Amino acid sequence: MSPRDLTEMRERVDAYPTHRIAGYRVRAGRPFPYGATPVPGGVNFSVYSDRATSMSLVLFERGAPEPAAELPFPAEFRTGSVYAMTVFGLDVENLEYGFRADGPFDPVSGDRFDARRVLSDPYARLVSGRDVWGREPDWNDVYPYRAQVVNDDFDWGDDTPLRIPTEDLVIYETHVRGFTRHPSSGVTAPGTYAGLREKIPYLKHLGVNCVELLPVFEFDELDNPRTNPVTGERLHNYWGYNTVSFFAPKAGYAATGRFGMQADEFKSLVKELHRAGIEVVLDVVFNHTAEGNEYGPTISFRGLDNATYYMLTPDGQYYNFSGTGNTVNCNHPVVRDFVLGCLRHWVAEYHIDGFRFDLAAILDRAPDGTPLPNPPLLEQLAYDPVLRHTKLIAEAWDAAGLYQVGHFPNYGRWSEWNGKYRDAVRRFVKGEPGVAGELATRMAGSPDLYWGRGAAASVNFVTAHDGFTLNDLVSYNDKHNEANGEGNNDGANDNYSWNCGEEGPSASPHVRDLRMRQMKNLLAILLTSQGVPMILAGDEVGRTQLGNNNTYCQDNELSWFDWGLVEANAELLEFTRGLIAFRHAHPVLRNTEHPRGVDSMGSGYPDVSWHGVRAWHPDWADHCRVVALMRCGRHAKGGVPDDHVYVAVNAHWEPHDMELPQLPDGQAWHLFADTGALMPYGMHPLGGEPLLEHPGRYHLGPHSAVILVGRPVPTTQATQATQKEMAP
């Protein structure tokens, strides 16, 4: 080292080594931040373990089967329960690292230390080992999930959060791999972040302004012991709800994953989505990890501090509120900091706009599983300054029966997947009796559940990744999950589906026409309801899973988006596009406050009114299968004058002549969409909606829905319309 180099190093005291361990120059590191952080001249490593008796840093050359060195942390490098060391002179691009923790193995007391294992860093920003999707690893590898150091040199340019108001979102739930893996996708790198990036023009054309991605945190797709009993093919952990590393993007989703460039590839995807006006929400899994129960693998948490990170029974076993073997101890102060740090990381480093929390009811459980009245984690996330403008969406239930839809601790910030909306819409369109009143409540933003929180607290959906697709919802009475290798015992049984008279694919024109109407009916209700609509990718083109309602393990054409359907099912696609455009064009559909059924604007009409076959006379009897509502445009969001919008849905097998509510003088009803009509795609272009032939009434066919727009018309047209209506 030259005198000049020595002088420059001494200008930074923390860049000067004080010890030599295993041939490496080191010094005591900084406890924060956790993980591996590049510092002048080296890398700072910091790891938490409260009950370990000793800790070593294990260094590997990239891909090497055995460690290059092990560096024990001296006692003076420990501050409280944190071991920290700065190591100088490392080649970070060729480095993999882990930790070896020693301590008691006493499961009854919660300790499961095993010094034979190399443990991955819970705060690792990159993880190797599953760099190419589905490639068989070396199953004898002493360290299968290897932490790496990341150099943050991505150029975000002028990218900033879009901050689209929650009530204006149209969410599109999709799977990174499944969206472009099908041979018909035509992208350069199928099944990757880069492939999804190539499909942004399609998303833009569809009209959605938010994508919700199934888990992209590093997971192991090979973590599934089952095979398809029919074909014998290996089944995967396709959805990714088995997180291995929470701070690292999934390498197998990157075309560049084998080069360790997955972080930059994912950031490029986010940047381009933002450029297209589309926000990014991540489906995150903090309720359990890939380590499973006591028979599962030891990857990181279990070997570092089992009793801290997991909910344990009095005899040291794992509480299983997640249904997957273990439950993360989310409200432990250390774990709360971990979750908060993780979300801050994705917002600050990846510009993520929001998060959907899988089985979020677990996040408000105490260490013994008892629901907390004021869960500290949920409160902390709601008020965190870094997450201030981030969308927070809860799946407000868990696998142990805690169902909190409408009652999830929200602190004025949380929205919820509204499972009650899903069930009510399905039951009504199917034709079940006694559902009309609940459907009306759900279409009004579920005020019975979210009064005082605003309609945007309700994320409305009819289908999601978990369950039937839209096509299968109208094509199957029963689930058909035999390919999952679990004897058709997995997946939900209460699907509220109707096959329209024939199970599965049908050649009958009558059945096919009815199914198309039913799919349109479901979409029409979804996209004209107050709240935030969420569409499952592929529903807009009638994608099928052949009746499988739990494709978590199916990495094949059963799960992939078939791009040939874009042309084959153009009618449904264009209908969906039109509905999304209609929603964007009419702020009266996106009001933040729930309607009260009163005229607070002096418009002469209440904000929302309910109707039946007779105008102003809704029928809530059990036998009723017709629901109609009118929204007054004078009550639209932000005080911006809008058209009146009338929506009527007939789930009856017979047609009905609907008497329409009279509009103010000079206005008339125009036809936007009729799911039973033969006009192109069942709708008219925005702004080009024709006047009704009979302005005061509408013939609504069986199993159909209609959307009308009330707006001013030129005097001549209005006079002609009135004369036609008065004619005998």
Side-chain angles (χ1 to χ4, degrees):
M1 181 178 296
S2 68
R4 179 180 177 181
D5 291 338
L6 186 59
T7 300
E8 289 178 353
M9 287 191 68
R10 285 176 175 169
E11 289 176 357
R12 288 288 304 267
V13 175
D14 58 358
Y16 185 70
T18 59
H19 295 62
R20 183 174 290 272
I21 302 176
Y24 288 83
R25 296 175 295 115
V26 305
R27 67 174 292 122
R30 296 180 181 272
F32 295 107
Y34 291 132
T37 308
V39 296
V43 179
N44 187 78
F45 297 92
S46 175
V47 61
Y48 163 86
S49 181
D50 186 52
R51 296 173 63 82
T53 55
S54 66
M55 184 76 65
S56 295
L57 172 66
V58 186
L59 303 179
F60 291 80
E61 291 185 3
R62 185 165 184 172
E66 298 296 331
E70 293 199 21
L71 288 66
F73 286 81
E76 61 269 29
F77 286 16
R78 178 173 181 173
T79 304
S81 297
V82 180
Y83 298 83
M85 180 192 307
T86 298
V87 182
F88 298 95
L90 295 175
D91 178 8
V92 296
E93 294 186 358
N94 193 40
L95 175 69
E96 295 168 339
Y97 74 96
F99 300 105
R100 197 186 299 277
D102 200 1
F105 184 83
D106 183 5
V108 174
S109 298
D111 293 323
R112 292 180 179 268
F113 291 97
D114 184 351
R116 297 171 299 174
R117 300 186 181 276
V118 181
L119 306 172
S120 191
D121 179 6
Y123 286 83
R125 269 59 172 177
L126 289 180
V127 170
S128 63
R130 298 295 182 267
D131 302 337
V132 177
W133 178 277
R135 177 182 290 175
E136 288 284 329
D138 177 1
W139 295 105
N140 296 316
D141 193 342
V142 298
Y143 185 31
Y145 311 107
R146 301 189 173 200
Q148 295 178 301
V149 182
V150 62
N151 281 320
D152 185 17
D153 55 359
F154 183 78
D155 181 9
W156 281 101
D158 59 356
D159 183 77
T160 56
L162 298 180
R163 295 186 185 176
I164 299 172
T166 302
E167 68 273 11
D168 291 343
L169 294 179
V170 176
I171 300 174
Y172 189 80
E173 189 200 29
T174 192
H175 186 283
V176 170
R177 178 171 170 81
F179 195 54
T180 63
R181 179 60 187 85
H182 197 279
S184 63
S185 69
V187 300
T188 305
T192 66
Y193 305 125
L196 177 52
R197 180 179 171 183
E198 289 187 48
K199 290 298 186 180
I200 291 176
Y202 172 83
L203 298 172
K204 184 78 171 175
H205 183 66
L206 182 60
V208 297
N209 56 9
C210 177
V211 293
E212 182 174 306
L213 302 178
L214 267 68
V216 300
F217 295 179
E218 186 61 61
F219 65 90
D220 188 351
E221 68 275 14
L222 301 177
D223 181 19
N224 190 332
R226 295 187 176 89
T227 58
N228 185 317
V230 177
T231 66
E233 68 177 331
R234 180 187 192 128
L235 297 177
H236 289 75
N237 198 310
Y238 172 72
W239 284 348
Y241 290 92
N242 67 328
T243 311
V244 165
S245 189
F246 290 79
F247 284 70
K250 173 65 179 165
Y253 282 167
T256 57
R258 63 189 184 279
F259 305 119
M261 296 296 293
Q262 58 266 33
D264 281 3
E265 188 174 323
F266 184 57
K267 289 176 181 179
S268 293
L269 170 62
V270 174
K271 183 178 178 180
E272 291 306 311
L273 284 166
H274 284 175
R275 194 187 304 274
I278 300 172
E279 291 194 338
V280 181
V281 170
L282 300 184
D283 191 338
V284 294
V285 189
F286 290 106
N287 56 78
H288 71 279
T289 77
E291 292 186 309
N293 61 18
E294 57 271 18
Y295 302 109
T298 296
I299 299 171
S300 60
F301 297 110
R302 175 178 293 146
L304 286 171
D305 208 311
N306 186 64
T308 292
Y309 287 107
Y310 293 116
M311 292 186 187
L312 303 177
T313 66
D315 60 353
Q317 300 300 301
Y318 293 90
Y319 280 118
N320 187 19
F321 300 115
S322 66
T324 57
N326 64 44
T327 305
V328 176
N329 192 12
C330 289
N331 284 295
H332 186 287
V334 170
V335 186
R336 291 203 314 262
D337 286 347
F338 175 83
V339 174
L340 183 61
C342 177
L343 298 178
R344 284 174 169 175
H345 168 73
W346 287 97
V347 170
E349 299 298 327
Y350 289 87
H351 292 201
I352 296 303
D353 302 283
F355 303 96
R356 176 266 188 189
F357 293 78
D358 179 64
L359 299 183
I362 285 175
L363 275 60
D364 68 10
R365 289 185 183 269
D368 64 355
T370 306
L372 294 166
N374 187 36
L377 174 61
L378 300 182
E379 182 180 34
Q380 197 167 1
L381 296 179
Y383 292 106
D384 183 73
V386 176
L387 307 180
R388 179 66 183 88
H389 299 288
T390 302
K391 276 82 175 179
L392 302 176
I393 303 170
E395 183 184 36
W397 54 84
D398 65 23
L402 182 57
Y403 191 80
Q404 295 183 307
V405 171
H407 306 286
F408 188 78
N410 65 89
Y411 304 98
R413 286 275 282 114
W414 288 80
S415 300
E416 300 174 18
W417 267 26
N418 190 344
K420 293 186 177 181
Y421 178 96
R422 173 200 60 205
D423 295 345
V425 173
R426 288 184 176 193
R427 292 176 60 210
F428 181 84
V429 173
K430 177 185 177 184
E432 288 190 15
V435 191
E438 185 178 1
L439 178 70
T441 301
R442 301 293 160 246
M443 293 183 72
S446 297
D448 61 326
L449 302 175
Y450 303 112
W451 189 263
R453 294 170 58 181
S458 177
V459 175
N460 301 329
F461 67 105
V462 176
T463 57
H465 70 275
D466 190 359
F468 278 151
T469 65
L470 187 68
N471 188 324
D472 290 358
L473 190 63
V474 301
S475 303
Y476 294 90
N477 285 348
D478 303 300
K479 66 183 183 183
H480 297 270
N481 297 359
E482 291 81 5
N484 294 355
E486 300 183 47
N488 203 34
N489 292 313
D490 62 305
N493 294 313
D494 51 346
N495 295 292
Y496 304 117
S497 61
W498 176 43
N499 66 14
C500 297
E502 187 176 344
E503 189 78 352
S506 174
S508 165
H510 169 74
V511 171
R512 292 165 67 91
D513 289 346
L514 177 55
R515 288 176 177 176
M516 178 62 75
R517 286 204 308 279
Q518 290 288 75
M519 288 191 286
K520 288 182 177 181
N521 293 338
L522 292 160
L523 288 167
I525 294 172
L526 175 65
L527 287 158
T528 59
S529 295
Q530 272 187 262
V532 181
M534 185 184 78
I535 301 169
L536 174 64
D539 277 355
E540 75 275 17
V541 294
R543 187 178 73 84
T544 179
Q545 294 174 171
L546 301 181
N548 192 318
N549 73 353
N550 189 33
T551 57
Y552 76 98
C553 56
Q554 298 293 335
D555 177 34
N556 49 50
E557 295 192 9
L558 202 63
S559 295
W560 300 340
F561 190 117
D562 181 353
W563 289 89
L565 296 174
V566 170
E567 182 176 347
N569 286 342
E571 178 179 352
L572 186 60
L573 173 60
E574 292 306 309
F575 186 81
T576 309
R577 284 188 61 237
L579 284 173
I580 293 172
F582 186 82
R583 183 176 184 87
H584 287 320
H586 289 285
V588 73
L589 299 176
R590 311 191 309 275
N591 283 343
T592 56
E593 299 301 321
H594 289 105
R596 294 183 294 162
V598 299
D599 180 13
S600 60
M601 301 290 292
S603 65
Y605 294 83
D607 49 6
V608 67
S609 52
W610 301 96
H611 309 270
V613 174
R614 294 175 57 200
W616 306 101
H617 290 82
D619 186 353
W620 308 123
D622 282 354
H623 67 267
C624 178
R625 290 178 172 84
V626 176
V627 170
L629 76 159
M630 180 178 70
R631 291 190 173 91
C632 173
R634 287 285 302 278
H635 296 262
K637 169 191 171 184
V640 178
D642 194 6
D643 302 323
H644 286 64
V645 174
Y646 174 90
V647 179
V649 187
N650 178 20
H652 201 204
W653 47 89
E654 295 180 352
H656 291 281
D657 285 312
M658 306 294 292
E659 179 187 22
L660 301 178
Q662 187 174 354
L663 291 167
D665 291 342
Q667 296 192 26
W669 288 114
H670 299 67
L671 175 61
F672 171 66
D674 183 339
T675 63
L678 296 178
M679 56 188 171
Y681 309 126
M683 62 176 45
H684 292 284
L686 280 177
E689 302 95 338
L691 280 167
L692 294 187
E693 184 177 354
H694 302 289
R697 59 189 185 274
Y698 193 86
H699 183 76
L700 184 58
H703 299 295
S704 296
V706 66
I707 303 173
L708 307 178
V709 180
R711 65 163 62 106
V713 294
T715 304
T716 302
Q717 285 183 289
T719 301
Q720 292 173 347
T722 302
Q723 291 173 345
K724 183 179 291 186
E725 180 65 17
M726 294 176 64

